Amino acid sequence: MAEDIIVKGTDVTVSFMNKVGNRKEKKTVLDGLDFDVRRGEILGLAGESGSGKSTLAKAVLGMVPLERGKIESEVTNPQMIFQDPYSSLNPAKTISWIMQEPLKLGKKKYSSEERLSKVEEMLCEVGLDAGYMQRKPGELSGGQRQRICIGTALMQAPGLLIADEPVSALDVTIQAQVLDLMREIHRKKKLTILFISHDLRTMYNFCDRVMILQKGKIVESGKPYDLYRDPKEPYTRLLLESAGII
Amino acid sequence: MLLTLFGVSFLVFAAFEIIPGDPAISKLGTDATPEMIAALREQMGLNRPFIVRYFDWLGDCIRGDFGRSYSYNRTVISMIGDKLPITVTMTIISMLLVIAVSIPVALLLAKYMGSTIDRAGYISNQILMAVPSFFLGILITYIFGLTLRFFTPGGYISYRQNFAGFIGYLLAPSVAIAIPKCAMSVKLLRSAILEEWNKDYVRTAYSRGNSTMQVMYRHVLKNALIPLITFWGMAVADMIAGSIVVEQVFNIPGLGRILLTSISNRDYPVVEAIILLIAVVVIVMNLIVDILYRCIDPRISK
Amino acid sequence: MLLEIKNLTIEFHDHDRPERVVEDVSFSLDKGEILGIVGESGSGKSMTALAVAGLLPRKKMEKSGEILFEEKNLLTLPRHDLRGLQGDEISVIFQEPMTALNPTMKIGKQVEEALLLHRHMTDEERKAKVMEWLEKVELDDSERVYEAYPHELSGGMRQRVMIAAAMVSDPQILIADEPTTALDVTVQSQIIKLLLKINKDSGVSILFISHDLSLIKQITHNVIVMQKGRIVEQGDTDEIFLHPKEEYTKKLISSIPSVDLRK
Amino acid sequence: MKKGRLILTVLLMTMAAALSGCTGGKTADTPDTRITIGIPQDLDDGLDPHKVSAAGTKEILFNIYEGLVKYDETGALIPAVASDYKVSEDGLTYTFTLRDGVKFHDGSNVTAEDVIYSIERCSKAEGGQDPLVPPFTNISEVNKVDDKTIEIKLVAADPDFLAYMTVAIIQASNDDPETKVIGTGPYKFVSHTPMESVELEAFNDYWGEKAHIGKVTLKIVSDPAAIVMDLKGGSLDMFCRLTDSQVSELKGSNFNIEVGTMNLAQALYLNNSVEPFNDVRVRQAICYAIDPQEIMDFVSGGEGTEIGSAAFPSFSKYYDPALNDNYNRDVEKAKELLKEAGYENGFSFSITVPSAYTPHVKTAEVISEELKEVGITADLKLVEWDSWLSDTYTNHNYEATVIGIDLNPVTARNLLQRYTSDGHGNFMEFSSEKYDEVFAKAVASTDDAEQTALYKECLQILSDEAASAYIQDLPSFVALNNKISGYKFYPIYAQDFASLYYIDEAND
Amino acid sequence: MAFIKSIKKIFNKYHGFNFNAGLVITGLIFIIALVGCFYTPYEPTAMNVSIRNTAPSLAHIFGCDDSGRDVFSRVMEGIRNTFFISTMTVLIGSGFGIILGAAAGYYGGKFDEILMRINDALFAFPSVLLALVIVSLLGPGFLNVTVALGIAFIPSFARIVRSGFKSQVNMDYVQSARLMGAGDLRIIFVHILPNILPVLMSSVMIGFNNAVLAEAGLSYLGIGVQPPRASLGLMLKDGQALLATAPWNALFPGMVIVLMVLGFALLSEGISEAS
């Protein structure tokens, strides 16, 4: 792979059998996809529900078997943050336990003091403070929880962070703050981010590149400015119009 | 489904390999000489290796021949066939009682949510669930049989002689079996109704101008019945097991009594046939529950 | 004036100390007007809408002020009369199309329920009215939809069914509580267009609740901005979007990601 | 001396006949009277009189089948199908004269062929199996003298042989006695619904005194608690072998309680081949530690009769009450014996008891309490009847057990052969040369008095060597509806329904 | 460590009516069982013919049974035995139930299919016969009944744990734990288990009262606790025959069974209500 591309997918196809009544039906979710993720970029992946964007994320993480094609990735420990803040943090554990977990599991061994100081440090980085250590996910707001998720994901200094609709469940003002945080982290740590969303407006200011996905196929991709100014594919134009951008 | 049946049949057959006691000895009684025992074992084919006997027996069962009872030397089918209607009728009556009692009571409790009636109903529910069925049987016989003379204890009338008397007598034991299951059904239905009540479509129904009763009967009850049906499916299996104990107390010669007597007589063919029968009934009940599921809840694909 | 609300206040009493959810809210709704209520979660916008629809829980709740509709105060109206209005004069559509419909009841029977409760019609008349509205909400193959169950339809189709079920009895007021939040962008814009068409054709006034400012901008004539149960600002939508007076409104408007394609 | 014996038996017979005749005062009952009798177990080991083994089944068949002679309630053998019989001088030939007018239930007359067929069926050993009645191997030949007389020749004289002549007489033409239940007794077999009930009906052409009650229903009641409730509830008129707690429940109800004995020897049977019971001193220590009277107080409210050895009271010829005082409760003596045997600080063992018999279970509980005072801990192991039958009784793997041993036929030889070293059914594993020697002499002697003395000496040895810790002959409580009377206790397992009758107000 | 912390958390979080009532009843019974180990007013097996079947009196508050033994002392011993058997039964049942249920729920697929089939087979098998097999395998008596009941309870626990795991396994926090490199075992026992603890706790309580009922049933049939030791089921059975003349023989054990079962039922309600 070219040295600046860290993940390359060629002819990626994923399908699964779903039982309708007693007949087994093959449903293709990703259909011969070619894509690449470059080091240090924020790549946007736009598409409506059923377009296969989450499945693509899982494919990149190697959690879904490919029917055809292959994905080469030099990233050793990719991490992911999710849309629903309520199910993305273990409700039975305290924040400090949750954030120490990646340190316990990582290859580098840390003593408990080192772990606590790293957690405190990360909490500040994501705009919270040590006071949150002993609290439980149930006691926090959606925005605070998403910040904890980001902090936890960064604990193992991942080569790639996949964000699956991280802000769409939050209030508009909170969304802006969380996106700012992610942009700052991207800048400071040169972190490559795969940003999955259905909201083209948010992606315009956030992503370096945007790929439009429809029914498992990449319709179009490019810089947001070029893409939004003269969309070549009718589907892209439809999305932009529905979002009131053009 | 067949796998389960196969599993049960193997478990039963293996069980009697382990339980001590030998059918030949139990048939010949105390003054049996060792030679007589050996000869009878030969005649019964007990000396053949376990596996051979198992597959022979399984083969016969599939062909519908469940062999002859060791102690009664009548065909197993005639014996069970004669007793099956008794236990089945009792289970059906108990089932009807459970359904007839639990739905109105649960609706009542759901209607007066949180009031004193709800609390009192709740406590009595818990108590009724806590009473062992044989204890219940005794209390019922004592109160309704001896003191109030509603029925003559032990006065079982066979369905051949007089059907009304037969049903009349079975009412009391059916009540003893049904009560714990009624309490459980009420509890389950009540919590299911509570759960459905918080769902969005109830609010939509209210927004259309339905009164509370209309919302309950047109929308919630049907959906709340779904978890209950699963419970009733499983409850039938418990009821049959429960009837074994209750048949003792009410002196009813049903399947339960045959099972217990045959176990103590080491009457292998009869026991194995009865247990297979119970397993079949349990599996059939689960099947019926699935089918009921499908027609009530369209979400499950046909 | 079709509907007038004067210093509406709602207090919850189920926790130890009473929690004031809506405080001193007053506004009015004219015939054929589309009035938006916008605010973040916890601003009380849904509570206000539910109060108008008469769907607030009766217990552990203190309500004061007036909601006047045809000279009747909906807050103090006896339940029987309130039920006469619900589904007939005032209808509601909700946010989650997946759960707002009864999963085990056919679509046709759910849409006709308002008619069943409020109109004396023969079965044929009722079916005709339902089929008429299923076509009006642009559902293709309305015959199949009539017989179908909710889980067999997509999110967008289900929301159209909700609209049909609400409009079938020609209500005067339609309350839409975040109707498109759970839908895809493309489907969202179709539903908005449908609501605008219905408003134009039947003159029904719509109370549109949302947290999405760009949506409010597209559909509403006037808007009310709420924060923590109080009205921060209200008035003509375009006027407020061009130069908002209150700090909070400014902050809200600025947080919409702007797409400036001119540079 | 032999002639004297002969006259004695004849005298007895005439007296019995006379006696039965004059209980009088009973009118011939109308056929529609009925009685429902509860029985604890179903007749689940078949209905063939020659093959049946369960005591519960034999009790009932007593009413349907009769032998050439039959027992009466005193235990004496009275003529039945045979009107009378003569025994030859050397005791080797028995001649029976058939009673005329004896009919089978299907109306056919009893012929000599039927009698010969019945006896040969029991003595022939089909295919290497033992004969149905083992002592019949002593019969050399059975021949028909004429239509009315049968002659049986024995290989060796046997004073008890007459007892074996109670074997049921069935029709020669009856190829399947299991299903064709036709006998000569006072009651006819009507039907048997397994696990439910057995129906009998009075046989109007019975040769002897006709049964008073027309229909008898035997209803199976397997749950002890239900018995009392069913009696009080009115669905049962009679139940045998109740426990004393059930009897106390029936006080004040419309039931009379008849008290008799169970005719069995209940004891703590010790497995003499097992440590430490192989030491006679340990066995004697246990006898000293146990107090039969206290057991009787607990188990049956003081009822029941103490026994000192294997014979039970109604076997009056051999029962010797003096043996009861052989081991009166003496804790010090028991400890002394234990010390001698090297078990100062006691030992522990388990008593296996069939769970279905409440009296035996309660006896074991009392024993384990009593043994505690001597430092011996006995814990109970309840097993099902079938496990007891095969594990304990047949395979002898147990330490101690509490059970009652009854007798059928009621002969001393049958009672005592069990204790001989190689005796059939010697589950106690008792063996003492002295005992074997005396028993052999007793069997061989032909003089009755000498034989009785020798058998008594055997019983003495059993007590002295403490083969088992003998306790009691359990009381037999029978609940009978107070409108019915005439219940008779028999020394053998027999329930005589024919003697029951309704006390009609009319004929009192 | 986390496990104990969450148990502590659960207990101090609940305060509903059910939970308190359940706690009071179970606590009372537990204390009686505990005291029963050291002191009982009379030797439970001491017989005294003079006081056979005497009515409850100051000396014998629950009266005396058919062999003149103090019913109250026997009930205390009975509670201890029944309590012990039920606890062991639930421990065995839930222990294996968790392992099997977790594996079936977490991995799903073929393994789940086979496990559930075995489960159904065990369900369809009358527990009476199962208990008989095990008791005859190991001999009657105290421990063997516990093992028998324990095994008979595994299917129901496995089913509950399985449904608990099925609902948790697709949650996002499980996926992120996997991404961080957590092994399956760690995910099952450290991550998922604490979240289904409330459901498990309430089913443990229901399991408890079914165990008490089952033990009573088995003793009724003569399998299980051997006389002269006492168990509530056995006392109930013997007491039945004396319902008219000495009803306290049956009523007090029966009442204690009902109380015990009621206590656990309320406790389980309290837990499931609050979770």
Side-chain angles (χ1 to χ4, degrees), chain B residues 82-84 86-87 156 158 247 250-258, chain D residues 193-197 220:
Chain B
D82 177 37
K83 299 288 176 261
L84 190 60
I86 302 169
T87 306
Y156 166 75
S158 161
E247 275 175 19
F250 286 88
N251 189 12
I252 297 168
L255 273 186
R257 170 179 291 180
I258 286 198
Chain D
T193 336
M195 297 282 172
E196 214 167 301
S197 60
I220 295 146

Side-chain angles (χ1 to χ4, degrees), chain D residues 109-242:
Chain D
N109 284 331
V110 173
T111 64
E113 285 68 25
D114 297 328
V115 174
I116 293 172
Y117 169 75
S118 307
I119 294 172
E120 268 158 7
R121 181 168 187 256
C122 295
S123 51
K124 288 266 173 316
E126 302 121 2
Q129 270 193 329
D130 288 356
L132 293 174
V133 180
F136 271 21
T137 45
N138 189 14
I139 298 173
S140 61
E141 53 184 276
V142 180
N143 32 41
K144 172 181 161 187
V145 173
D146 57 33
D147 279 355
K148 281 291 167 214
T149 23
I150 311 283
E151 199 186 58
I152 299 173
K153 290 205 178 317
L154 297 186
V155 170
D158 171 4
D160 298 336
F161 180 71
L162 192 63
Y164 302 128
M165 279 301 107
T166 55
V167 87
I169 303 297
I170 59 174
Q171 291 168 319
S173 59
N174 184 345
D175 49 9
D176 179 10
E178 195 66 56
T179 44
K180 297 206 196 71
V181 184
I182 298 165
T184 60
Y187 275 96
K188 275 193 301 191
F189 172 81
V190 172
S191 69
H192 170 216
T193 336
M195 297 282 172
E196 214 167 301
S197 60
V198 179
E199 304 284 342
L200 305 180
E201 206 178 46
F203 177 37
N204 296 334
D205 309 341
Y206 178 52
W207 57 271
E209 194 205 317
K210 297 213 177 8
H212 304 288
I213 295 182
K215 288 196 178 54
V216 172
T217 314
L218 297 159
K219 215 164 151 215
I220 295 146
V221 183
S222 56
D223 174 25
I227 295 169
V228 171
M229 282 190 264
D230 295 355
L231 284 167
K232 279 195 190 164
S235 69
L236 287 181
D237 301 319
M238 171 175 145
F239 203 95
C240 312
R241 281 190 291 282
L242 294 173

Side-chain angles (χ1 to χ4, degrees), chain D residues 458-507:
Chain D
C458 288
L459 289 167
Q460 182 67 42
I461 298 168
L462 287 183
S463 180
D464 298 345
E465 294 201 12
S468 320
Y470 296 98
I471 306 170
Q472 63 169 319
D473 178 0
L474 284 165
S476 162
F477 300 108
V478 176
L480 192 58
N481 191 319
N482 50 24
K483 290 209 261 344
I484 301 169
S485 171
Y487 183 80
K488 289 185 194 150
F489 282 100
Y490 278 72
I492 56 158
Y493 265 99
Q495 295 292 349
D496 182 358
F497 303 141
S499 56
L500 298 173
Y501 59 90
Y502 269 89
I503 311 161
D504 296 348
E505 285 65 27
N507 80 348

